[in-house]
Amino acid sequence: MNSVLTEYMNISLMLTIIMTITVYSVGLTGFLKPFTKLKTARFVSGAVYEIIMLVFFLKPFEFSNLIAYALADAAAFSVFTLFDRKNKAQKVFLMFSFFSIRWFTGAISTALWLKLHVRISGLFTEWFADGSHLILMDIIFNIIEAVIIAGVMYVLIRIFHKVYISKDEKMSIKEALILILPSIVGVFSYRTALYFNSVDSADISIKTYDFAAVAFYIALYAVLIIVIYFYEQIKAVGQKEIEDAMLSVQTENIRDYISGAENLYRDIRAIRHDMRNHLTVLQRLHMHGENEAFEKYLGEVSERIDADAGENSGNPVSDIIISEKRNEAEKRGIMFESDFHYPDGLRGHELDMSIILNNALNNAIEAAEKCPEDNRFISLKSCKKKNAFLITIRNSCCEKQTVTEGELLKTTKPNSSEHGFGLVNIKNTAEKYHGGIDFSFDEREFTLSVMLMM
């Protein structure tokens, strides 16, 4: 009986280790989820992690489990990088972060399980008296332990995903080196605590698996989270400064538009003055019966009027912006149509309207230019319904868009930290008027709607 029980306990220990490794590999696939849309990349990386750890377990090598987990971690993230070679510095940071999450999961869950094991074992003293239910209880205990490990890992990963916001932004090597330091210090602090706990000395009273130790491990993980939090805050401040600088440049450009609008008004007054002279000449030619000269002069005046005709949105500033963007679009082979009418309720707010039109049309031109020449178009329309003014910009779009639920589109330009503020500026401007923006897209067309309340 004892030999059978011993054999079973060996098998149980093996199954416990395999189950624990499986929980960690599944945790890795969940950890990688926000960083790639390729399910294959996540599952293959998790499988590589588990296979390597099982090899180390089934055929033990002469090195510590710290090195074993480090090698499995490095192999898994190397495979992950093969699927997506971009942002390698971020992948190094993720590798060290998961490495520390795994160790903190093991430390916290072991401490919790040992405390719980002592309590629930006492409830089944009679069962253990003759050993008849030992196998059943061992199975139950293994399941409980696996659930605790999975729960702790889920919470730690969830916190990491919550705090690390800029998942899609490029990370520099310098940033990665700073961010991996808490993970390295945390893991080695944990290992140091284990070492001192193993020292046989009356002066050392460290109990690695008591609740004080759990608090210590949580504090170590909190250091990593706090560093990431401040990193995100610094990035947010930097992006705000860039955004403000770009908005300042746009404001200066818009002031130029306003200056151009004043010149346009002067030109209009000059045309009106000339028109009186033209009408006088035409009237005299008609009175003297000079029909041929009358028709010729009328044709010349008509050509002049057609040449001077531009946008007619009802506002000189928006006329200039739309005219400039139309000319830019046509130079790039983009068909441009406009049915935009400046609302009376926004007179005196040309600066804000210019921010909306400039950013929206710049984005539309950039997207449409990437399409085949026979499929390049931009459509600008507006309508007013009671107190709501709606601007709709449609354009051809042949590039895959990236968007996360509840967020704006991600820029496709190489340096995302210095681009992608167009929609942000439009959104902020619309919200000044208690409005907002909405967009929709497919493989051929992108539509942006901006609503302003007047």
Side-chain angles (χ1 to χ4, degrees):
M1 178 67 179
N2 290 334
S3 62
V4 173
L5 198 58
T6 302
E7 183 179 352
Y8 170 77
M9 294 305 294
N10 291 332
I11 295 174
S12 176
L13 177 62
M14 181 181 295
L15 291 177
T16 300
I17 295 174
I18 293 174
M19 184 170 56
T20 302
I21 293 172
T22 301
V23 170
Y24 290 147
S25 65
V26 172
L28 176 59
T29 61
F31 177 78
L32 295 175
K33 186 176 180 179
F35 303 99
T36 180
K37 293 183 178 180
L38 298 174
K39 290 183 179 180
T40 305
R42 294 193 290 119
F43 287 115
V44 170
S45 300
V48 168
Y49 184 87
E50 179 159 7
I51 290 171
I52 291 178
M53 287 307 305
L54 289 176
V55 169
F56 287 151
F57 168 67
L58 296 174
K59 189 177 180 181
F61 293 84
E62 293 184 358
F63 47 69
S64 68
N65 57 351
L66 178 71
I67 296 176
Y69 278 110
L71 291 175
D73 198 48
F77 277 90
S78 297
V79 171
F80 182 62
T81 305
L82 291 177
F83 284 93
D84 182 6
R85 299 177 184 272
K86 298 177 183 178
N87 212 354
K88 293 180 181 178
Q90 184 196 58
K91 290 177 174 58
V92 173
F93 161 62
L94 294 177
M95 179 181 70
F96 278 91
S97 297
F98 181 78
F99 184 68
S100 64
I101 287 174
R102 195 227 70 82
W103 279 103
F104 291 136
T105 297
I108 295 171
S109 59
T110 300
L112 294 175
W113 167 237
L114 289 180
K115 285 290 184 182
L116 181 63
H117 184 273
V118 172
R119 291 177 178 272
I120 63 177
S121 295
L123 299 176
F124 301 97
T125 305
E126 294 181 0
W127 285 35
F128 283 96
D130 57 0
S132 59
H133 296 284
L134 184 59
I135 294 176
L136 176 61
M137 289 306 304
D138 190 60
I139 294 173
I140 294 174
F141 285 174
N142 286 341
I143 294 174
I144 295 174
E145 183 179 5
V147 170
I148 292 174
I149 294 172
V152 171
M153 174 163 271
Y154 173 81
V155 172
L156 297 185
I157 291 176
R158 184 77 174 175
I159 293 172
F160 181 88
H161 287 166
K162 186 85 172 176
V163 176
Y164 183 41
I165 301 172
S166 51
K167 300 177 181 67
D168 297 323
E169 295 184 14
K170 185 175 177 60
M171 180 180 289
S172 68
I173 295 176
K174 187 181 295 185
E175 290 173 332
L177 291 175
I178 294 172
L179 290 174
I180 66 177
L181 283 177
S183 296
I184 296 174
V185 172
V187 171
F188 278 97
S189 297
Y190 165 65
R191 297 292 294 182
T192 302
L194 287 181
Y195 169 75
F196 280 112
N197 187 63
S198 65
V199 175
D200 185 15
S201 173
D203 298 329
I204 299 175
S205 59
I206 298 177
K207 297 180 179 179
T208 309
Y209 297 120
D210 62 13
F211 283 121
V214 173
F216 173 67
Y217 304 141
I218 293 175
L220 290 176
Y221 185 66
V223 172
L224 170 62
I225 296 302
I226 290 171
V227 170
I228 295 174
Y229 173 79
F230 281 111
Y231 164 77
E232 291 291 346
Q233 294 300 308
I234 292 170
K235 281 186 71 71
V237 171
Q239 288 183 341
K240 186 67 169 60
E241 291 176 352
I242 295 173
E243 181 181 341
D244 290 342
M246 293 180 66
L247 189 58
S248 177
V249 171
Q250 289 184 351
T251 302
E252 290 299 321
N253 292 336
I254 290 166
R255 288 197 177 100
D256 293 338
Y257 287 134
I258 293 174
S259 176
E262 293 174 349
N263 295 332
L264 179 61
Y265 270 130
R266 284 195 293 269
D267 292 342
I268 291 173
R269 288 195 294 268
I271 291 173
R272 285 178 177 174
H273 180 270
D274 291 341
M275 194 59 63
R276 293 191 188 96
N277 295 330
H278 294 321
L279 289 174
T280 300
V281 172
L282 288 170
Q283 187 178 23
R284 289 177 179 176
L285 288 174
H286 179 67
M287 289 174 60
H288 290 83
E290 299 287 343
N291 294 333
E292 184 177 347
F294 176 88
E295 292 178 0
K296 181 179 179 182
Y297 194 87
L298 181 61
E300 291 176 354
V301 172
S302 298
E303 289 178 3
R304 172 67 186 277
I305 293 173
D306 291 339
D308 290 335
E311 304 298 330
N312 187 24
S313 68
N315 183 277
V317 177
S318 57
D319 283 347
I320 291 175
I321 294 174
I322 296 171
S323 178
E324 181 181 282
K325 300 307 175 185
R326 180 191 294 276
N327 293 335
E328 185 179 349
E330 291 175 350
K331 286 179 182 178
R332 302 186 187 192
I334 303 171
M335 183 180 69
F336 189 105
E337 63 174 27
S338 173
D339 185 19
F340 178 86
H341 302 283
Y342 197 97
D344 294 333
L346 289 177
R347 299 292 174 185
H349 297 270
E350 285 82 0
L351 184 65
D352 291 331
M353 184 62 71
S354 300
I355 290 173
I356 293 172
L357 292 176
N358 260 310
N359 283 292
L361 293 175
N362 282 341
N363 290 345
I365 291 171
E366 181 182 335
E369 187 182 19
K370 297 175 182 178
C371 295
E373 293 185 3
D374 60 347
N375 185 32
R376 295 179 181 177
F377 72 88
I378 295 173
S379 171
L380 169 64
K381 293 184 178 181
S382 67
C383 67
K384 184 175 179 293
K385 295 181 179 179
K386 295 184 178 180
N387 293 332
F389 181 67
L390 184 65
I391 305 170
T392 304
I393 301 98
R394 294 172 45 251
N395 60 268
S396 51
C397 178
C398 302
E399 189 174 67
K400 186 176 181 181
Q401 302 293 331
T402 303
V403 65
T404 303
E405 185 178 353
E407 297 182 0
L408 297 179
L409 289 171
K410 302 295 183 182
T411 180
T412 57
K413 293 181 180 179
N415 192 348
S416 61
S417 64
E418 297 181 4
H419 301 286
F421 296 109
L423 282 178
V424 174
N425 289 338
I426 296 172
K427 178 176 179 290
N428 292 341
T429 303
E431 289 176 350
K432 285 176 58 178
Y433 297 88
H434 306 288
I437 69 171
D438 187 29
F439 53 83
S440 60
F441 56 89
D442 54 30
E443 296 178 353
R444 295 178 296 178
E445 184 175 306
F446 180 88
T447 301
L448 170 66
S449 299
V450 183
M451 187 182 71
L452 309 175
M453 301 303 295
M454 297 182 296

